[in-house]
Amino acid sequence: MESIPLVTELLHFVIPYLKKQVQLIKGAPEQVQSLHSELQFIEKSLKQYESYDRIFMEDNTVQEWLTQIRSLVPETKGIFNTYKTAKHVQNQRTWPNRWLNAVPHVLELRDIGKRVEKMKKKIEEINSYKNKYCHESQVAKPKRNSKWLEKQRREVEEENVEGFEVAIQQVTSMLLTKALTSEVVSIVGTTGSDKTTLAKKIYRIMSKQFEHPASAFVPSIYSIRDLLLDILKDLMPIEEETLKLDDVRLAQKLRNFLRGKKYLVVIDGVEETQLWETLRKEKVFPNENHGSRLLLTTRSTRVASLASSSRDDVHNMVPMDETSRWTLLKKLVFKDGRCYPELEHLGKQIATKCVGLPLAIVSLASLLDRDKRYGQWVDIISNVSWYLNQKDSPPCFGILDLTYHTTIPEHLRKCLLYLGAYPSGSEILARQVINLWVAEELVKDEGGSKVEEIAWRYLEDLFSLSLIEVVRKRSDGGIRKFRIHEIWRMFCVLKSERIGFLQVHTKFVSHSSNNTPWRLSIHHELRCILSNNQDYLPDICTLLCFHDKDSHDSKGSKLDFNRSPCLTVLDVGSTRVSKVDENIKRSRLLKYLKLNHPSLNHLPRTLFSLPNLQTLDIKNTCVMSPYLPSGIWGMQNLRHLLLPPYTMLPKRTDQSRKCLWHLQTLSTITPDENTAALIFHSRFPSLIKLLLNSQEMENTERCLERLYKLGCLQKLKIINRAVFPVPRTFPTSLVKVSLVKTDLVANDVMRMLEYLDHLQVLKLLKRSIRGPELEMKPNSFPQLRFLFMEEILVKTWRMGDGAMGSLEELTITRCHELESLPKQLRHLHNIRQVKVNSPSQCLRRELEQLNVQQCEIQIHF
């Protein structure tokens, strides 16, 4: 009888517990959706305060609230993504497997429900603190306003900058030449490159040569009315009646005054195309061939291209040379311009690290001026990036922050901050950044366009705003590699840390804060992070490793995914990875994985079951498994698959009739009969780029015969000996074709490719074609813009009239059998550049006598 009260007592606790578990399981979908809605509200709230950076806040309680609320975002997203993945995995299973996995799935939903409840309590608690301790008045106004920062920026750009003689001469020549194609000359450069100084010096020199000079500055928040009034004030006395005029009548008054006169108007800071379009639409500045000129300064190459009708009318600011950097730094640090002898070699090193931007030099000069001891300067050399990022190094950060919030469109800001993850001076591969942005969901899906296409537009926008510089272009003129300007990179590191977006760990400095790092970029050995028992590893969503070439990692690192279950992006760079653990299957949220070291020769099969993986890049590893695991057919989100040579696709089982619907890149695949069958049955309906490593010519031919099934294919590359099929089977969507060591008959290639109406780039490389002659029929290759020929075994090249009518660039390298160029090349109207490297003797003699005015000819014998 004593057991009855005991059972009753147990039931008293067990039944409510069971009811709660059932509620957690049944209510999980609604709870997750509710949490997702709250996440969207949190992110919108953060945007409201984001422009008031920490250094501008009036109260530490506001800073603390922002820190805490930001720290919830990654965890909240992790819960939502975990739920989506769990549902997706369960839905992908067959009915028998669903029943077998019912209990684990239910338990997972229960755990998600618990996490949601816990997260909601955290949000309520943090908001209660805000309501209790923070007041709107504390965050209503930043300490420093935009006008103050505008003034600081202009003062920095008016320092005693050296080395303008050449730039002044170039711009004044543009302004004075009668051959100017429009009346507008543009000066383009990034923030802190001294556009303002150059424009003001030119204005002072040139104003006496024009009857009516005027200048105006466009603030970040501007009005057309204020701009027109500023110009009018330099041209005439402003009466009270003029101040009462609206925008249209002010524009008319300015236009009437300038009509028939020779004027020079300098407008500093035209950053929006809309402003220039408005001025042009209103015809504010009449062009009557009186020699009048407009001089604009801008960070935007788009503004410059709109305003100045020719590239010859645009002056691009170039970084200061080393002599000018050092001269400026000496002037700012030593009043008499004379440096202490023992500090001179250190000072020159510091000036070099400022990468030619006056803004960076001025910012460092104030720091160097405080302490002129040898040891202090040695310390600064090792940590230039860190010192430039400090709060007390005005005016660098505030000026860039103003530009960030007022000039850079909101959708580009996080993409720019992401570039701060890369080490100083890195040449960044554009394609890699695009895939990372997509995996990080930094690109807005606009519908109708692939997300990657939108991301490429984002990158071009950053270039047009002079935030990045192109290091190397693709063969079609697009960006292949680029750098972020160093001063902007340093800004991105600090800004990212302050808003909890990204943290950077270097050998010298770990940019740490109270925030749990969500994204972590490591600029030294990954092993140093993994070997330490870091508390934040379980919360890491993004881990990027940029290996230090000077460090040693002979032991290699083992990637254990038990410690970081929330990973969505992992790029270990060139870090030596000895093993990838089987528990990678736990990282079901992983979207981007790059393993890049040749020491890795085996991958677990569980890697090929990750449901969310979008990009898998293992092309530089030595994984020698001939066939990929069949689990790859279940990776329905896969977009980019980059594989080591000699890899073949797995056979598709009868049960697996799935397509890789989203796959866009497939490189490098060794074709076999199975590959041909997969192409024929349209298993890659969205494929854009295909790279084939031919081993058996018959198998390659079978694949090429079926290429017409790939209706979206734009880029095709074939490596090693191949045979082209007789019928024309290439898809007309092809934009770029590259052939390497294919040993094909030259005219067979021409007959296959000449009908491709969209083909813009053709690369014939390293004995790709052979034959006595290469013949292009009349009007063939109508859209071809770039033709590259390297080591082709062709003696005679013939062209029919109208062939390659759109050609812009021709490159011929080490084609020692080619005796001459077709005469029709001389009559191509669009050709801009012809490069010939190491030609045959016959071709050399022909080129020495050639006179083609419309294109630049570079010959290297």
Side-chain angles (χ1 to χ4, degrees), residues 704-723:
L704 298 180
E705 284 175 349
R706 293 159 174 79
L707 278 189
Y708 68 92
K709 301 288 283 188
L710 301 176
C712 296
L713 193 66
Q714 295 181 17
K715 298 180 180 180
L716 173 66
K717 185 173 184 178
I718 306 171
I719 302 174
N720 295 330
R721 295 188 66 188
V723 176

Side-chain angles (χ1 to χ4, degrees), residues 19 45 56 63 101 116 173 212 215 233 236 258 280 355 376 415 434 478 516 559 767 779 814:
K19 283 183 178 179
S45 298
F56 297 149
Q63 297 178 16
N101 290 277
V116 170
S173 296
H212 302 279
S215 68
K233 285 174 186 175
M236 65 173 74
L258 294 176
R280 185 168 62 178
V355 293
Q376 176 68 7
C415 293
I434 296 301
T516 298
L559 295 182
R767 299 173 180 262
N779 301 314
R814 294 189 297 278

Side-chain angles (χ1 to χ4, degrees), residues 350-363:
I350 293 170
T352 299
K353 285 177 177 279
C354 290
V355 293
L357 286 175
L359 181 58
I361 295 171
V362 172
S363 296

Side-chain angles (χ1 to χ4, degrees), residues 20 24 31 35 72 75-76 79 110-126 539:
K20 186 176 181 182
L24 283 170
Q31 287 177 312
L35 184 63
L72 300 181
E75 190 177 348
T76 307
I79 294 172
R110 184 201 63 181
D111 291 340
I112 290 170
K114 285 182 178 179
R115 291 176 65 189
V116 170
E117 281 193 343
K118 188 177 178 182
M119 179 56 64
K120 287 206 161 192
K121 284 180 182 177
K122 280 186 183 178
I123 294 170
E124 288 173 8
E125 187 178 342
I126 291 172
D539 300 311

